[in-house]
Amino acid sequence: MLASSQELVARVNVLPGTQVVALDAATVTPERFDLMRSLDPQSLPDLMVLGEHLPVDRALAIARDSDLRYPTIDVVVVGEPEPGLLVELMRAGVRDVLEQGVDEERLLAIIRRADVHRAAPPVPSAPGAPAAPPSDPEFSRVVTVISPKGGVGKTSISTNLAIAMAQSAPQDVVLVDLDLQFGDVAATLDLVPTRTMEDALSPEAASDTLALKTMLTVHPAGLFVLCGAESPAANEDVTAEQVRRLLAQLSSQFSWVVVDTAAGLDEPTLAALDVTDDVVVVSTMDVACVRSVRREVDLLSDLGLLPTARTLALNLADRQSGMKVKDVEAVIGLPVDIVIPRSSDVQLAANHGRPIMLRKKRGGPFVKAIKSLSDRLLSHAPQAGHKHKRLEVA
Ligand SMILES: Nc1ncnc2c1ncn2[C@@H]1O[C@H](COP(=O)(O)OP(=O)(O)O)[C@@H](O)[C@H]1O
Ligand SMILES: [Mg+2]
């Protein structure tokens, strides 16, 4: 770990298993890091803390350089940057901001996260993956993952899908936890958010998209995450209008807004569907689930809330269910687009806060299915003449 604040250095040095090297900003150069890496790749730090006295330009340059050349190093800054600067810092690859007098628990969480990140560096785009969509600033699509049932894999699919999409469109994907009561996106991705949905739905964020961006948490895989609130009661009175506005604001900043939802069709989910371009409907091969999906699809269709761009994903597929894919299709009345096999390592990876998409040993059936889902959605990127109904936010 590299740090530059005397007090912080002293505090971190007493934490078990950590070693801090304090450096003058002038010595933090690419040459020095290249030299360290060439002598011993293990000698690169896990975490770089940029002190509050560092000039902004220098901090941005260090963060950008590190993000590009040494992506396993987490960079955090100390201080209280203005919202505009914070966005710039995060775009430069800064993962987090440490407030002055940060408590031990948070410090340890950040150090632990840097450790995990080093063990699982972000995966570069696979060869043959679809190219990032042309950087048309007007392009944006909202992808919403729904199901009438819980425990069918909505969160597993949305988190891994967002990571897969970010591999093709780095920094251009935001994942939103719209399971307002019991959302578990942050836990699944092992994120320690400082700001959550509660802040994002505040009047302050609703009237200032730049402020809203500071409420996102950066994930090392190159995506932004709007994490759910700590308390299930925090967003009890959220209106459909607030949700629509939030998603519109995010659409004005990101090409891809991936939304994880609660089971069923609660008000936030219906509001999200109102501004959704691509819906991913998740079913399992369980008869009760398949029937509920049929009813959900029919209802949405009656309400005019079923986007034409839809993907029916059959998750937890195995041969033991007694149902065949064509039985599912017959009940639901839609073709199954993606079959996602039951795969024991999905849960294991989630329990470790390290999504399966980011594991070094890749290529299992779950990963393949999510990649093909990601490719399918990315292929909806702008065709010539495509005009997206971009919602303007004052
Ligand atoms: N394809 C899969 N194979 C094995 N386990 C899965 C798969 N998809 C999801 N799971 C597991 O099922 C459980 C429920 O998944 P989750 O994504 O939380 O569902 P939901 O968000 O719909 O409630 C989790 O423990 C998850 O790890
Ligand atoms: Mg869930």
mmCIF file with all atom_site columns, all heavy atoms in Angstrom, residues 149-157 184 260-261 315-317 340-344 346-348 350-351 366, ligand 1:
data_model
loop_
_atom_site.group_PDB
_atom_site.id
_atom_site.type_symbol
_atom_site.label_atom_id
_atom_site.label_alt_id
_atom_site.label_comp_id
_atom_site.label_asym_id
_atom_site.label_entity_id
_atom_site.label_seq_id
_atom_site.pdbx_PDB_ins_code
_atom_site.Cartn_x
_atom_site.Cartn_y
_atom_site.Cartn_z
_atom_site.occupancy
_atom_site.B_iso_or_equiv
_atom_site.pdbx_formal_charge
_atom_site.auth_seq_id
_atom_site.auth_comp_id
_atom_site.auth_asym_id
_atom_site.auth_atom_id
_atom_site.pdbx_PDB_model_num
ATOM   1   N N   . LYS A 1 149 ? -40.998 -14.484 -9.563  1.00 0.00 ? 149 LYS A N   1
ATOM   2   C CA  . LYS A 1 149 ? -40.536 -15.229 -8.379  1.00 0.00 ? 149 LYS A CA  1
ATOM   3   C C   . LYS A 1 149 ? -39.178 -14.744 -7.879  1.00 0.00 ? 149 LYS A C   1
ATOM   4   O O   . LYS A 1 149 ? -38.380 -14.205 -8.645  1.00 0.00 ? 149 LYS A O   1
ATOM   5   C CB  . LYS A 1 149 ? -40.398 -16.718 -8.738  1.00 0.00 ? 149 LYS A CB  1
ATOM   6   C CG  . LYS A 1 149 ? -41.690 -17.362 -9.173  1.00 0.00 ? 149 LYS A CG  1
ATOM   7   C CD  . LYS A 1 149 ? -42.565 -17.668 -7.978  1.00 0.00 ? 149 LYS A CD  1
ATOM   8   C CE  . LYS A 1 149 ? -43.768 -18.498 -8.395  1.00 0.00 ? 149 LYS A CE  1
ATOM   9   N NZ  . LYS A 1 149 ? -44.779 -18.586 -7.341  1.00 0.00 ? 149 LYS A NZ  1
ATOM   10  N N   . GLY A 1 150 ? -38.932 -15.011 -6.587  1.00 0.00 ? 150 GLY A N   1
ATOM   11  C CA  . GLY A 1 150 ? -37.613 -14.744 -6.016  1.00 0.00 ? 150 GLY A CA  1
ATOM   12  C C   . GLY A 1 150 ? -36.768 -16.005 -6.094  1.00 0.00 ? 150 GLY A C   1
ATOM   13  O O   . GLY A 1 150 ? -37.292 -17.106 -6.301  1.00 0.00 ? 150 GLY A O   1
ATOM   14  N N   . GLY A 1 151 ? -35.483 -15.835 -5.946  1.00 0.00 ? 151 GLY A N   1
ATOM   15  C CA  . GLY A 1 151 ? -34.592 -16.995 -5.907  1.00 0.00 ? 151 GLY A CA  1
ATOM   16  C C   . GLY A 1 151 ? -34.405 -17.676 -7.257  1.00 0.00 ? 151 GLY A C   1
ATOM   17  O O   . GLY A 1 151 ? -33.962 -18.822 -7.317  1.00 0.00 ? 151 GLY A O   1
ATOM   18  N N   . VAL A 1 152 ? -34.766 -16.991 -8.342  1.00 0.00 ? 152 VAL A N   1
ATOM   19  C CA  . VAL A 1 152 ? -34.652 -17.610 -9.664  1.00 0.00 ? 152 VAL A CA  1
ATOM   20  C C   . VAL A 1 152 ? -33.388 -17.177 -10.406 1.00 0.00 ? 152 VAL A C   1
ATOM   21  O O   . VAL A 1 152 ? -33.108 -17.665 -11.501 1.00 0.00 ? 152 VAL A O   1
ATOM   22  C CB  . VAL A 1 152 ? -35.885 -17.311 -10.545 1.00 0.00 ? 152 VAL A CB  1
ATOM   23  C CG1 . VAL A 1 152 ? -37.146 -17.866 -9.902  1.00 0.00 ? 152 VAL A CG1 1
ATOM   24  C CG2 . VAL A 1 152 ? -36.029 -15.815 -10.794 1.00 0.00 ? 152 VAL A CG2 1
ATOM   25  N N   . GLY A 1 153 ? -32.657 -16.220 -9.803  1.00 0.00 ? 153 GLY A N   1
ATOM   26  C CA  . GLY A 1 153 ? -31.384 -15.825 -10.415 1.00 0.00 ? 153 GLY A CA  1
ATOM   27  C C   . GLY A 1 153 ? -31.359 -14.426 -11.013 1.00 0.00 ? 153 GLY A C   1
ATOM   28  O O   . GLY A 1 153 ? -30.433 -14.097 -11.760 1.00 0.00 ? 153 GLY A O   1
ATOM   29  N N   . LYS A 1 154 ? -32.344 -13.591 -10.673 1.00 0.00 ? 154 LYS A N   1
ATOM   30  C CA  . LYS A 1 154 ? -32.334 -12.230 -11.238 1.00 0.00 ? 154 LYS A CA  1
ATOM   31  C C   . LYS A 1 154 ? -31.046 -11.493 -10.885 1.00 0.00 ? 154 LYS A C   1
ATOM   32  O O   . LYS A 1 154 ? -30.410 -10.873 -11.737 1.00 0.00 ? 154 LYS A O   1
ATOM   33  C CB  . LYS A 1 154 ? -33.530 -11.406 -10.699 1.00 0.00 ? 154 LYS A CB  1
ATOM   34  C CG  . LYS A 1 154 ? -34.872 -11.880 -11.188 1.00 0.00 ? 154 LYS A CG  1
ATOM   35  C CD  . LYS A 1 154 ? -36.002 -11.032 -10.627 1.00 0.00 ? 154 LYS A CD  1
ATOM   36  C CE  . LYS A 1 154 ? -36.118 -11.099 -9.122  1.00 0.00 ? 154 LYS A CE  1
ATOM   37  N NZ  . LYS A 1 154 ? -36.380 -12.431 -8.568  1.00 0.00 ? 154 LYS A NZ  1
ATOM   38  N N   . THR A 1 155 ? -30.678 -11.566 -9.598  1.00 0.00 ? 155 THR A N   1
ATOM   39  C CA  . THR A 1 155 ? -29.487 -10.824 -9.171  1.00 0.00 ? 155 THR A CA  1
ATOM   40  C C   . THR A 1 155 ? -28.213 -11.463 -9.739  1.00 0.00 ? 155 THR A C   1
ATOM   41  O O   . THR A 1 155 ? -27.302 -10.750 -10.171 1.00 0.00 ? 155 THR A O   1
ATOM   42  C CB  . THR A 1 155 ? -29.440 -10.747 -7.627  1.00 0.00 ? 155 THR A CB  1
ATOM   43  O OG1 . THR A 1 155 ? -30.660 -10.149 -7.179  1.00 0.00 ? 155 THR A OG1 1
ATOM   44  C CG2 . THR A 1 155 ? -28.262 -9.947  -7.142  1.00 0.00 ? 155 THR A CG2 1
ATOM   45  N N   . SER A 1 156 ? -28.183 -12.776 -9.768  1.00 0.00 ? 156 SER A N   1
ATOM   46  C CA  . SER A 1 156 ? -26.997 -13.437 -10.339 1.00 0.00 ? 156 SER A CA  1
ATOM   47  C C   . SER A 1 156 ? -26.838 -13.046 -11.802 1.00 0.00 ? 156 SER A C   1
ATOM   48  O O   . SER A 1 156 ? -25.727 -12.767 -12.271 1.00 0.00 ? 156 SER A O   1
ATOM   49  C CB  . SER A 1 156 ? -27.137 -14.971 -10.261 1.00 0.00 ? 156 SER A CB  1
ATOM   50  O OG  . SER A 1 156 ? -27.525 -15.356 -8.980  1.00 0.00 ? 156 SER A OG  1
ATOM   51  N N   . ILE A 1 157 ? -27.961 -13.011 -12.507 1.00 0.00 ? 157 ILE A N   1
ATOM   52  C CA  . ILE A 1 157 ? -27.895 -12.677 -13.936 1.00 0.00 ? 157 ILE A CA  1
ATOM   53  C C   . ILE A 1 157 ? -27.545 -11.202 -14.124 1.00 0.00 ? 157 ILE A C   1
ATOM   54  O O   . ILE A 1 157 ? -26.641 -10.868 -14.891 1.00 0.00 ? 157 ILE A O   1
ATOM   55  C CB  . ILE A 1 157 ? -29.227 -13.033 -14.639 1.00 0.00 ? 157 ILE A CB  1
ATOM   56  C CG1 . ILE A 1 157 ? -29.412 -14.555 -14.637 1.00 0.00 ? 157 ILE A CG1 1
ATOM   57  C CG2 . ILE A 1 157 ? -29.271 -12.471 -16.060 1.00 0.00 ? 157 ILE A CG2 1
ATOM   58  C CD1 . ILE A 1 157 ? -30.766 -15.027 -15.125 1.00 0.00 ? 157 ILE A CD1 1
ATOM   59  N N   . ASP A 1 184 ? -29.593 -7.098  -2.915  1.00 0.00 ? 184 ASP A N   1
ATOM   60  C CA  . ASP A 1 184 ? -28.333 -7.655  -2.440  1.00 0.00 ? 184 ASP A CA  1
ATOM   61  C C   . ASP A 1 184 ? -27.226 -7.560  -3.488  1.00 0.00 ? 184 ASP A C   1
ATOM   62  O O   . ASP A 1 184 ? -26.288 -8.351  -3.498  1.00 0.00 ? 184 ASP A O   1
ATOM   63  C CB  . ASP A 1 184 ? -28.528 -9.111  -1.973  1.00 0.00 ? 184 ASP A CB  1
ATOM   64  C CG  . ASP A 1 184 ? -29.269 -9.949  -3.002  1.00 0.00 ? 184 ASP A CG  1
ATOM   65  O OD1 . ASP A 1 184 ? -29.572 -9.422  -4.088  1.00 0.00 ? 184 ASP A OD1 1
ATOM   66  O OD2 . ASP A 1 184 ? -29.544 -11.125 -2.738  1.00 0.00 ? 184 ASP A OD2 1
ATOM   67  N N   . ASP A 1 260 ? -31.666 -4.441  -11.753 1.00 0.00 ? 260 ASP A N   1
ATOM   68  C CA  . ASP A 1 260 ? -32.084 -5.652  -11.041 1.00 0.00 ? 260 ASP A CA  1
ATOM   69  C C   . ASP A 1 260 ? -33.346 -5.289  -10.268 1.00 0.00 ? 260 ASP A C   1
ATOM   70  O O   . ASP A 1 260 ? -33.453 -4.184  -9.731  1.00 0.00 ? 260 ASP A O   1
ATOM   71  C CB  . ASP A 1 260 ? -30.973 -6.092  -10.068 1.00 0.00 ? 260 ASP A CB  1
ATOM   72  C CG  . ASP A 1 260 ? -31.309 -7.415  -9.390  1.00 0.00 ? 260 ASP A CG  1
ATOM   73  O OD1 . ASP A 1 260 ? -32.096 -8.212  -9.964  1.00 0.00 ? 260 ASP A OD1 1
ATOM   74  O OD2 . ASP A 1 260 ? -30.783 -7.667  -8.281  1.00 0.00 ? 260 ASP A OD2 1
ATOM   75  N N   . THR A 1 261 ? -34.319 -6.195  -10.216 1.00 0.00 ? 261 THR A N   1
ATOM   76  C CA  . THR A 1 261 ? -35.595 -5.852  -9.570  1.00 0.00 ? 261 THR A CA  1
ATOM   77  C C   . THR A 1 261 ? -35.960 -6.865  -8.488  1.00 0.00 ? 261 THR A C   1
ATOM   78  O O   . THR A 1 261 ? -35.364 -7.937  -8.396  1.00 0.00 ? 261 THR A O   1
ATOM   79  C CB  . THR A 1 261 ? -36.739 -5.829  -10.613 1.00 0.00 ? 261 THR A CB  1
ATOM   80  O OG1 . THR A 1 261 ? -36.870 -7.147  -11.165 1.00 0.00 ? 261 THR A OG1 1
ATOM   81  C CG2 . THR A 1 261 ? -36.474 -4.831  -11.718 1.00 0.00 ? 261 THR A CG2 1
ATOM   82  N N   . ASN A 1 315 ? -33.332 -20.073 -16.375 1.00 0.00 ? 315 ASN A N   1
ATOM   83  C CA  . ASN A 1 315 ? -32.189 -20.271 -15.474 1.00 0.00 ? 315 ASN A CA  1
ATOM   84  C C   . ASN A 1 315 ? -32.351 -21.553 -14.663 1.00 0.00 ? 315 ASN A C   1
ATOM   85  O O   . ASN A 1 315 ? -33.443 -22.103 -14.576 1.00 0.00 ? 315 ASN A O   1
ATOM   86  C CB  . ASN A 1 315 ? -32.051 -19.061 -14.538 1.00 0.00 ? 315 ASN A CB  1
ATOM   87  C CG  . ASN A 1 315 ? -30.756 -19.109 -13.735 1.00 0.00 ? 315 ASN A CG  1
ATOM   88  O OD1 . ASN A 1 315 ? -29.759 -19.702 -14.172 1.00 0.00 ? 315 ASN A OD1 1
ATOM   89  N ND2 . ASN A 1 315 ? -30.750 -18.516 -12.567 1.00 0.00 ? 315 ASN A ND2 1
ATOM   90  N N   . LEU A 1 316 ? -31.263 -21.970 -14.065 1.00 0.00 ? 316 LEU A N   1
ATOM   91  C CA  . LEU A 1 316 ? -31.227 -23.157 -13.208 1.00 0.00 ? 316 LEU A CA  1
ATOM   92  C C   . LEU A 1 316 ? -31.715 -24.384 -13.982 1.00 0.00 ? 316 LEU A C   1
ATOM   93  O O   . LEU A 1 316 ? -32.365 -25.260 -13.428 1.00 0.00 ? 316 LEU A O   1
ATOM   94  C CB  . LEU A 1 316 ? -32.073 -22.933 -11.948 1.00 0.00 ? 316 LEU A CB  1
ATOM   95  C CG  . LEU A 1 316 ? -31.517 -21.873 -10.992 1.00 0.00 ? 316 LEU A CG  1
ATOM   96  C CD1 . LEU A 1 316 ? -32.578 -21.351 -10.043 1.00 0.00 ? 316 LEU A CD1 1
ATOM   97  C CD2 . LEU A 1 316 ? -30.338 -22.431 -10.201 1.00 0.00 ? 316 LEU A CD2 1
ATOM   98  N N   . ALA A 1 317 ? -31.413 -24.356 -15.285 1.00 0.00 ? 317 ALA A N   1
ATOM   99  C CA  . ALA A 1 317 ? -31.886 -25.439 -16.132 1.00 0.00 ? 317 ALA A CA  1
ATOM   100 C C   . ALA A 1 317 ? -31.119 -26.726 -15.813 1.00 0.00 ? 317 ALA A C   1
ATOM   101 O O   . ALA A 1 317 ? -29.903 -26.710 -15.674 1.00 0.00 ? 317 ALA A O   1
ATOM   102 C CB  . ALA A 1 317 ? -31.680 -25.060 -17.597 1.00 0.00 ? 317 ALA A CB  1
ATOM   103 N N   . ILE A 1 340 ? -29.747 -21.067 -19.230 1.00 0.00 ? 340 ILE A N   1
ATOM   104 C CA  . ILE A 1 340 ? -28.610 -20.919 -18.311 1.00 0.00 ? 340 ILE A CA  1
ATOM   105 C C   . ILE A 1 340 ? -28.596 -22.127 -17.373 1.00 0.00 ? 340 ILE A C   1
ATOM   106 O O   . ILE A 1 340 ? -29.480 -22.271 -16.528 1.00 0.00 ? 340 ILE A O   1
ATOM   107 C CB  . ILE A 1 340 ? -28.726 -19.620 -17.483 1.00 0.00 ? 340 ILE A CB  1
ATOM   108 C CG1 . ILE A 1 340 ? -28.965 -18.415 -18.409 1.00 0.00 ? 340 ILE A CG1 1
ATOM   109 C CG2 . ILE A 1 340 ? -27.484 -19.406 -16.633 1.00 0.00 ? 340 ILE A CG2 1
ATOM   110 C CD1 . ILE A 1 340 ? -29.237 -17.118 -17.673 1.00 0.00 ? 340 ILE A CD1 1
ATOM   111 N N   . PRO A 1 341 ? -27.622 -22.983 -17.530 1.00 0.00 ? 341 PRO A N   1
ATOM   112 C CA  . PRO A 1 341 ? -27.623 -24.210 -16.738 1.00 0.00 ? 341 PRO A CA  1
ATOM   113 C C   . PRO A 1 341 ? -27.413 -23.944 -15.249 1.00 0.00 ? 341 PRO A C   1
ATOM   114 O O   . PRO A 1 341 ? -26.802 -22.941 -14.874 1.00 0.00 ? 341 PRO A O   1
ATOM   115 C CB  . PRO A 1 341 ? -26.439 -24.996 -17.301 1.00 0.00 ? 341 PRO A CB  1
ATOM   116 C CG  . PRO A 1 341 ? -26.000 -24.284 -18.513 1.00 0.00 ? 341 PRO A CG  1
ATOM   117 C CD  . PRO A 1 341 ? -26.475 -22.879 -18.419 1.00 0.00 ? 341 PRO A CD  1
ATOM   118 N N   . ARG A 1 342 ? -27.899 -24.862 -14.436 1.00 0.00 ? 342 ARG A N   1
ATOM   119 C CA  . ARG A 1 342 ? -27.585 -24.840 -13.014 1.00 0.00 ? 342 ARG A CA  1
ATOM   120 C C   . ARG A 1 342 ? -26.094 -25.153 -12.891 1.00 0.00 ? 342 ARG A C   1
ATOM   121 O O   . ARG A 1 342 ? -25.593 -26.058 -13.554 1.00 0.00 ? 342 ARG A O   1
ATOM   122 C CB  . ARG A 1 342 ? -28.393 -25.930 -12.299 1.00 0.00 ? 342 ARG A CB  1
ATOM   123 C CG  . ARG A 1 342 ? -28.195 -25.982 -10.807 1.00 0.00 ? 342 ARG A CG  1
ATOM   124 C CD  . ARG A 1 342 ? -28.972 -27.129 -10.209 1.00 0.00 ? 342 ARG A CD  1
ATOM   125 N NE  . ARG A 1 342 ? -30.412 -26.943 -10.314 1.00 0.00 ? 342 ARG A NE  1
ATOM   126 C CZ  . ARG A 1 342 ? -31.144 -26.253 -9.448  1.00 0.00 ? 342 ARG A CZ  1
ATOM   127 N NH1 . ARG A 1 342 ? -30.547 -25.699 -8.407  1.00 0.00 ? 342 ARG A NH1 1
ATOM   128 N NH2 . ARG A 1 342 ? -32.443 -26.128 -9.606  1.00 0.00 ? 342 ARG A NH2 1
ATOM   129 N N   . SER A 1 343 ? -25.406 -24.365 -12.089 1.00 0.00 ? 343 SER A N   1
ATOM   130 C CA  . SER A 1 343 ? -23.963 -24.528 -12.050 1.00 0.00 ? 343 SER A CA  1
ATOM   131 C C   . SER A 1 343 ? -23.503 -24.228 -10.623 1.00 0.00 ? 343 SER A C   1
ATOM   132 O O   . SER A 1 343 ? -23.738 -23.131 -10.115 1.00 0.00 ? 343 SER A O   1
ATOM   133 C CB  . SER A 1 343 ? -23.387 -23.567 -13.096 1.00 0.00 ? 343 SER A CB  1
ATOM   134 O OG  . SER A 1 343 ? -22.062 -23.323 -12.897 1.00 0.00 ? 343 SER A OG  1
ATOM   135 N N   . SER A 1 344 ? -22.909 -25.219 -9.992  1.00 0.00 ? 344 SER A N   1
ATOM   136 C CA  . SER A 1 344 ? -22.670 -25.116 -8.544  1.00 0.00 ? 344 SER A CA  1
ATOM   137 C C   . SER A 1 344 ? -21.746 -23.952 -8.174  1.00 0.00 ? 344 SER A C   1
ATOM   138 O O   . SER A 1 344 ? -21.819 -23.414 -7.075  1.00 0.00 ? 344 SER A O   1
ATOM   139 C CB  . SER A 1 344 ? -22.084 -26.426 -8.026  1.00 0.00 ? 344 SER A CB  1
ATOM   140 O OG  . SER A 1 344 ? -20.896 -26.688 -8.731  1.00 0.00 ? 344 SER A OG  1
ATOM   141 N N   . VAL A 1 346 ? -21.783 -20.908 -9.213  1.00 0.00 ? 346 VAL A N   1
ATOM   142 C CA  . VAL A 1 346 ? -22.401 -19.569 -9.222  1.00 0.00 ? 346 VAL A CA  1
ATOM   143 C C   . VAL A 1 346 ? -22.588 -19.079 -7.788  1.00 0.00 ? 346 VAL A C   1
ATOM   144 O O   . VAL A 1 346 ? -22.202 -17.964 -7.429  1.00 0.00 ? 346 VAL A O   1
ATOM   145 C CB  . VAL A 1 346 ? -23.776 -19.597 -9.923  1.00 0.00 ? 346 VAL A CB  1
ATOM   146 C CG1 . VAL A 1 346 ? -24.451 -18.230 -9.860  1.00 0.00 ? 346 VAL A CG1 1
ATOM   147 C CG2 . VAL A 1 346 ? -23.622 -20.040 -11.363 1.00 0.00 ? 346 VAL A CG2 1
ATOM   148 N N   . GLN A 1 347 ? -23.171 -19.937 -6.974  1.00 0.00 ? 347 GLN A N   1
ATOM   149 C CA  . GLN A 1 347 ? -23.453 -19.563 -5.599  1.00 0.00 ? 347 GLN A CA  1
ATOM   150 C C   . GLN A 1 347 ? -22.161 -19.374 -4.809  1.00 0.00 ? 347 GLN A C   1
ATOM   151 O O   . GLN A 1 347 ? -22.014 -18.425 -4.045  1.00 0.00 ? 347 GLN A O   1
ATOM   152 C CB  . GLN A 1 347 ? -24.289 -20.660 -4.958  1.00 0.00 ? 347 GLN A CB  1
ATOM   153 C CG  . GLN A 1 347 ? -24.877 -20.235 -3.655  1.00 0.00 ? 347 GLN A CG  1
ATOM   154 C CD  . GLN A 1 347 ? -26.011 -21.157 -3.255  1.00 0.00 ? 347 GLN A CD  1
ATOM   155 O OE1 . GLN A 1 347 ? -26.132 -22.259 -3.779  1.00 0.00 ? 347 GLN A OE1 1
ATOM   156 N NE2 . GLN A 1 347 ? -26.823 -20.716 -2.339  1.00 0.00 ? 347 GLN A NE2 1
ATOM   157 N N   . LEU A 1 348 ? -21.246 -20.272 -5.037  1.00 0.00 ? 348 LEU A N   1
ATOM   158 C CA  . LEU A 1 348 ? -19.958 -20.211 -4.346  1.00 0.00 ? 348 LEU A CA  1
ATOM   159 C C   . LEU A 1 348 ? -19.279 -18.869 -4.625  1.00 0.00 ? 348 LEU A C   1
ATOM   160 O O   . LEU A 1 348 ? -18.817 -18.174 -3.725  1.00 0.00 ? 348 LEU A O   1
ATOM   161 C CB  . LEU A 1 348 ? -19.088 -21.350 -4.876  1.00 0.00 ? 348 LEU A CB  1
ATOM   162 C CG  . LEU A 1 348 ? -17.957 -21.812 -3.978  1.00 0.00 ? 348 LEU A CG  1
ATOM   163 C CD1 . LEU A 1 348 ? -18.564 -22.448 -2.729  1.00 0.00 ? 348 LEU A CD1 1
ATOM   164 C CD2 . LEU A 1 348 ? -17.086 -22.821 -4.710  1.00 0.00 ? 348 LEU A CD2 1
ATOM   165 N N   . ALA A 1 350 ? -20.696 -16.094 -5.647  1.00 0.00 ? 350 ALA A N   1
ATOM   166 C CA  . ALA A 1 350 ? -21.468 -14.986 -5.075  1.00 0.00 ? 350 ALA A CA  1
ATOM   167 C C   . ALA A 1 350 ? -21.209 -14.894 -3.573  1.00 0.00 ? 350 ALA A C   1
ATOM   168 O O   . ALA A 1 350 ? -21.068 -13.800 -3.021  1.00 0.00 ? 350 ALA A O   1
ATOM   169 C CB  . ALA A 1 350 ? -22.948 -15.178 -5.353  1.00 0.00 ? 350 ALA A CB  1
ATOM   170 N N   . ASN A 1 351 ? -21.129 -16.023 -2.912  1.00 0.00 ? 351 ASN A N   1
ATOM   171 C CA  . ASN A 1 351 ? -20.892 -16.002 -1.466  1.00 0.00 ? 351 ASN A CA  1
ATOM   172 C C   . ASN A 1 351 ? -19.530 -15.415 -1.131  1.00 0.00 ? 351 ASN A C   1
ATOM   173 O O   . ASN A 1 351 ? -19.313 -14.921 -0.033  1.00 0.00 ? 351 ASN A O   1
ATOM   174 C CB  . ASN A 1 351 ? -21.009 -17.415 -0.877  1.00 0.00 ? 351 ASN A CB  1
ATOM   175 C CG  . ASN A 1 351 ? -22.459 -17.860 -0.837  1.00 0.00 ? 351 ASN A CG  1
ATOM   176 O OD1 . ASN A 1 351 ? -23.369 -17.042 -0.999  1.00 0.00 ? 351 ASN A OD1 1
ATOM   177 N ND2 . ASN A 1 351 ? -22.683 -19.142 -0.649  1.00 0.00 ? 351 ASN A ND2 1
ATOM   178 N N   . PHE A 1 366 ? -22.342 -21.313 -17.170 1.00 0.00 ? 366 PHE A N   1
ATOM   179 C CA  . PHE A 1 366 ? -23.036 -20.103 -16.734 1.00 0.00 ? 366 PHE A CA  1
ATOM   180 C C   . PHE A 1 366 ? -22.420 -18.887 -17.419 1.00 0.00 ? 366 PHE A C   1
ATOM   181 O O   . PHE A 1 366 ? -23.106 -18.040 -17.977 1.00 0.00 ? 366 PHE A O   1
ATOM   182 C CB  . PHE A 1 366 ? -22.966 -19.971 -15.210 1.00 0.00 ? 366 PHE A CB  1
ATOM   183 C CG  . PHE A 1 366 ? -23.709 -18.776 -14.668 1.00 0.00 ? 366 PHE A CG  1
ATOM   184 C CD1 . PHE A 1 366 ? -25.053 -18.854 -14.352 1.00 0.00 ? 366 PHE A CD1 1
ATOM   185 C CD2 . PHE A 1 366 ? -23.064 -17.559 -14.491 1.00 0.00 ? 366 PHE A CD2 1
ATOM   186 C CE1 . PHE A 1 366 ? -25.749 -17.747 -13.877 1.00 0.00 ? 366 PHE A CE1 1
ATOM   187 C CE2 . PHE A 1 366 ? -23.745 -16.446 -14.016 1.00 0.00 ? 366 PHE A CE2 1
ATOM   188 C CZ  . PHE A 1 366 ? -25.093 -16.550 -13.703 1.00 0.00 ? 366 PHE A CZ  1
HETATM 189 N N1  . LIG B 2 .   ? -27.482 -20.897 -12.831 1.00 0.00 ? 1   LIG B N1  1
HETATM 190 C C1  . LIG B 2 .   ? -27.352 -21.039 -11.515 1.00 0.00 ? 1   LIG B C1  1
HETATM 191 N N2  . LIG B 2 .   ? -26.769 -22.149 -11.000 1.00 0.00 ? 1   LIG B N2  1
HETATM 192 C C2  . LIG B 2 .   ? -26.651 -22.336 -9.674  1.00 0.00 ? 1   LIG B C2  1
HETATM 193 N N3  . LIG B 2 .   ? -27.066 -21.475 -8.748  1.00 0.00 ? 1   LIG B N3  1
HETATM 194 C C3  . LIG B 2 .   ? -27.668 -20.343 -9.179  1.00 0.00 ? 1   LIG B C3  1
HETATM 195 C C4  . LIG B 2 .   ? -27.838 -20.059 -10.575 1.00 0.00 ? 1   LIG B C4  1
HETATM 196 N N4  . LIG B 2 .   ? -28.466 -18.873 -10.688 1.00 0.00 ? 1   LIG B N4  1
HETATM 197 C C5  . LIG B 2 .   ? -28.671 -18.440 -9.419  1.00 0.00 ? 1   LIG B C5  1
HETATM 198 N N5  . LIG B 2 .   ? -28.196 -19.318 -8.521  1.00 0.00 ? 1   LIG B N5  1
HETATM 199 C C6  . LIG B 2 .   ? -28.243 -19.218 -7.045  1.00 0.00 ? 1   LIG B C6  1
HETATM 200 O O1  . LIG B 2 .   ? -29.611 -19.163 -6.669  1.00 0.00 ? 1   LIG B O1  1
HETATM 201 C C7  . LIG B 2 .   ? -29.794 -18.294 -5.572  1.00 0.00 ? 1   LIG B C7  1
HETATM 202 C C8  . LIG B 2 .   ? -30.802 -17.222 -5.905  1.00 0.00 ? 1   LIG B C8  1
HETATM 203 O O2  . LIG B 2 .   ? -30.267 -16.406 -6.924  1.00 0.00 ? 1   LIG B O2  1
HETATM 204 P P1  . LIG B 2 .   ? -30.520 -14.837 -6.986  1.00 0.00 ? 1   LIG B P1  1
HETATM 205 O O3  . LIG B 2 .   ? -29.741 -14.355 -8.150  1.00 0.00 ? 1   LIG B O3  1
HETATM 206 O O4  . LIG B 2 .   ? -30.286 -14.189 -5.681  1.00 0.00 ? 1   LIG B O4  1
HETATM 207 O O5  . LIG B 2 .   ? -32.077 -14.828 -7.307  1.00 0.00 ? 1   LIG B O5  1
HETATM 208 P P2  . LIG B 2 .   ? -33.128 -13.617 -7.267  1.00 0.00 ? 1   LIG B P2  1
HETATM 209 O O6  . LIG B 2 .   ? -32.383 -12.351 -7.431  1.00 0.00 ? 1   LIG B O6  1
HETATM 210 O O7  . LIG B 2 .   ? -34.053 -13.922 -8.401  1.00 0.00 ? 1   LIG B O7  1
HETATM 211 O O8  . LIG B 2 .   ? -33.836 -13.716 -5.949  1.00 0.00 ? 1   LIG B O8  1
HETATM 212 C C9  . LIG B 2 .   ? -28.432 -17.735 -5.226  1.00 0.00 ? 1   LIG B C9  1
HETATM 213 O O9  . LIG B 2 .   ? -27.901 -18.463 -4.178  1.00 0.00 ? 1   LIG B O9  1
HETATM 214 C C10 . LIG B 2 .   ? -27.630 -17.947 -6.507  1.00 0.00 ? 1   LIG B C10 1
HETATM 215 O O10 . LIG B 2 .   ? -26.263 -18.095 -6.235  1.00 0.00 ? 1   LIG B O10 1
#
